[in-house]
């Protein structure tokens, strides 16, 4: 047996288990013989997930629950421990999305995305820790996104929610370490994934919503979640070279990235609509078209089972290379350093402007300060635009990336 694998079946809880990443993750745990509790709102999706777990060799327990309700989540945890045994791993994966400019999102819609995506993680973790901490055993995995570090247009509600998860989880991790607890929490930051959310998320775009950037199959995400559950000592996992590159570019040249997304983010998140964009039949607003899963599950009793995959199989990646990047930080660091070097080259070539003062005097520094830019040391004085960093800081960042387990 692989020394990295548990030597006995575990009790694993997965929220948002009826479709997408949660569905694929349930199968990934089931093939190891684990007992898998499936939490979600959609009855048909949960029933399909339970069949998948059973077929893969695991023991399923479907528990319909809305993770935004803390009492319901705690009651679900109690039922799970009664029927499956003490919880070893809790995976917070449930989320809802909304595609629209911020000014077109109603206050109750924004709150709903926050309550499910952010507070759903809080509620699940609280229920898990209430049982894990007294036993001094267990792992909580937060399933996040590259959007936890880099917000994108048309997804302000979701971007804000995963940013909140990121900050809260860091705080929680510090508290557990301070207490000397053997309970661990870690976070998995995902790239764009081929899931049904793009067909059932509430959208006010003129075209059909689609992922931004390279698209990965949900099985890639599932492998990452299982790996994180097995190795929770690492604070965070970033899945896919695209995620690592996006985050380092944002860290080194956030202003440049803002402009890039402003220019391309609207067009690249939608495609020509064959049908009218979805809305929400269960929303408290009668003027909304249908259907979406913001207020009620599309895979509920009157819906259908959507499975793990969305409509992007033809362009989605399921690559061994991403497993290598996930499990070998040195390889990932080299990829990140390459991306950073590319950003530095682009910035040097297209963003800097020489000043009229040549090599000396205070004029360069004064003008740089007035423009909000940084002045490079040595040689001709050059002004670096606000939101970018001078070459020395790029080099230091790249060196740091090579030494950091990202």
């Amino acid at each position: 047996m692989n020394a990295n694998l548990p030597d006995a079946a575990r009790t694993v809880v997965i929220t948002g288990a009826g479709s997408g990443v949660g569905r694929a993750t349930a199968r990934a745990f089931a093939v190891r013989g684990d007992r898998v509790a499936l939490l979600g709102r959609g009855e048909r999706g949960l029933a399909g997930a339970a069949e998948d777990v059973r077929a893969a060799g695991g023991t399923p327990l479907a528990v319909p629950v809305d993770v935004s309700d803390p009492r319901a989540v705690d009651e679900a945890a109690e039922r799970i421990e009664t029927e499956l045994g003490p919880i070893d791993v809790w995976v917070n994966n449930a989320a809802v999305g909304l595609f629209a400019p911020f000014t077109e999102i109603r206050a109750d819609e924004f709150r709903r995305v926050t309550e499910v995506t952010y507070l759903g993680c809080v509620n699940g973790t609280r229920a898990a820790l209430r049982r894990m901490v007294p036993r001094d055993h267990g792992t909580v995995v937060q399933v996040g996104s590259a959007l936890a570090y880099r917000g994108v247009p048309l997804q302000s509600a979701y971007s804000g929610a995963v940013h909140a998860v990121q900050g809260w989880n860091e705080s929680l991790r510090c508290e557990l370490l301070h207490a000397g607890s053997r309970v661990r929490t870690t976070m998995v930051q995902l790239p764009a994934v081929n899931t049904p959310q793009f067909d059932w998320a509430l959208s006010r775009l003129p075209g059909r919503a689609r992922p931004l950037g390279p698209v990965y199959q949900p099985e890639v995400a599932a492998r990452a979640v299982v790996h994180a559950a097995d190795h929770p000592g690492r604070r965070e996992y970033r899945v896919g070279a695209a995620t690592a590159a996006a985050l380092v570019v944002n860290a080194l040249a956030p202003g440049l990235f803002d402009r890039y997304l402003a220019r391309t983010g609207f067009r690249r998140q939608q495609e020509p609509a064959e049908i009218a964009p979805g809305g929400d039949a269960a929303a408290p607003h009668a003027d909304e078209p249908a259907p979406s899963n913001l207020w009620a599950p599309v895979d509920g009793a009157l819906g259908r089972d959507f499975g793990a995959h969305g409509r992007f199989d033809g362009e989605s990646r399921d690559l061994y290379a991403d497993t290598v990047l996930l499990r070998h930080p040195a390889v990932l660091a080299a990829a990140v350093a390459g991306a950073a070097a590319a950003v530095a080259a682009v910035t040097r070539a297209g963003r800097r402007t020489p000043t009229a003062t040549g090599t000396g005097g205070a004029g360069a520094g004064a003008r740089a300060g007035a423009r909000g830019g940084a002045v490079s040391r040595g040689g001709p004085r050059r002004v670096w635009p606000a939101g970018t960093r001078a070459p020395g800081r790029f080099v230091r960042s790249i060196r740091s990336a090579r030494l950091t387990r990202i």
Side-chain angles (χ1 to χ4, degrees):
M1 175 178 285
N2 187 329
N4 291 326
L5 297 181
D7 56 8
R10 299 181 295 182
T11 298
V12 179
V13 181
I14 303 171
T15 70
S19 66
V21 171
R23 181 75 165 261
T25 302
R27 289 198 297 259
F29 279 109
V31 298
R32 299 146 59 107
D34 288 334
R35 301 175 293 274
V36 185
L38 308 161
L39 274 58
R41 294 179 297 159
E43 296 175 25
R44 291 186 182 273
L46 291 180
E51 292 178 7
D52 287 353
V53 168
R54 194 175 293 109
T59 302
L61 175 64
V63 184
V65 67
D66 186 330
V67 297
S68 68
D69 182 341
R71 177 176 295 181
V73 173
D74 194 68
E75 291 173 353
E78 192 67 25
R79 177 185 170 188
I80 291 163
E81 294 222 325
T82 298
E83 298 190 29
L84 297 183
I87 297 168
D88 299 293
V89 177
W90 187 293
V91 178
N92 285 310
N93 168 74
V96 292
L98 195 163
F99 291 87
F102 172 70
T103 53
E104 297 181 19
I105 301 174
R106 299 184 176 101
D108 57 344
E109 294 167 343
F110 201 99
R111 183 174 61 249
R112 175 64 176 166
V113 173
T114 304
E115 288 174 346
V116 174
T117 306
Y118 170 40
L119 294 182
C121 288
V122 173
N123 297 335
T125 302
R126 181 182 288 111
L129 294 185
R130 188 169 291 164
R131 292 153 178 86
M132 292 177 176
V133 169
R135 297 191 290 260
D136 202 24
H137 168 79
T139 297
V140 179
V141 181
Q142 320 290 358
V143 178
S145 163
L147 274 60
Y149 290 94
R150 172 65 253 183
V152 299
L154 303 177
Q155 295 194 60
S156 59
Y158 179 77
S159 295
V162 292
H163 266 78
V165 173
Q166 167 67 21
W168 158 77
N169 187 64
E170 288 179 341
S171 176
L172 172 62
R173 177 179 167 83
C174 292
E175 292 172 5
L176 291 171
L177 290 171
H178 172 78
S181 175
R182 282 191 280 233
V183 176
R184 294 289 180 261
T185 179
T186 186
M187 193 163 182
V188 179
Q189 309 293 15
L190 299 181
V193 182
N194 175 31
T195 70
Q197 70 162 324
F198 300 97
D199 290 322
W200 68 23
L202 174 59
S203 174
R204 296 198 174 94
L205 305 181
R208 299 179 73 191
R210 61 154 291 121
L212 177 64
V215 185
Y216 292 78
Q217 294 289 25
E219 288 75 19
V220 174
R223 290 197 295 269
V225 172
V226 172
H227 184 78
D230 289 344
H231 305 84
R234 206 166 134 192
R235 68 191 303 273
E236 181 173 278
Y237 292 86
R238 299 175 182 179
V239 181
T243 300
L247 297 187
V248 76
V249 169
N250 185 66
L252 298 177
L256 192 63
F257 211 174
D258 288 344
R259 291 173 176 83
Y260 172 76
L261 287 172
R263 187 172 66 252
T264 65
F266 283 68
R267 170 178 51 82
R268 293 180 60 201
Q269 289 190 84
Q270 54 187 311
E271 56 190 21
E274 299 174 7
I275 58 174
D280 199 331
H285 308 289
D287 59 335
E288 292 293 348
S292 90
N293 75 332
L294 184 60
W295 301 99
V298 178
D299 58 348
L302 301 179
R304 66 177 178 88
D305 178 16
F306 284 75
H309 288 220
R311 67 179 193 271
F312 304 100
D313 280 334
E315 64 178 273
S316 297
R317 306 179 181 186
D318 188 1
L319 302 178
Y320 173 75
D322 292 285
T323 303
V324 173
L325 290 172
L326 172 70
R327 298 184 180 180
H328 300 280
V331 178
L332 178 56
V336 169
V343 174
V346 169
T347 309
R348 280 195 298 268
R351 301 293 295 171
R352 68 186 184 184
T353 54
T355 69
T357 57
T359 59
R367 277 187 292 278
R371 298 183 191 182
V375 182
S376 61
R377 297 180 180 179
R381 298 282 181 175
R382 298 187 183 276
V383 177
W384 290 73
T388 61
R389 300 183 180 185
R393 299 179 70 184
F394 272 114
V395 171
R396 288 193 295 274
S397 297
I398 293 169
R399 288 173 178 165
S400 176
R402 288 187 179 131
L403 297 174
T404 303
R405 294 177 63 89
I406 298 175

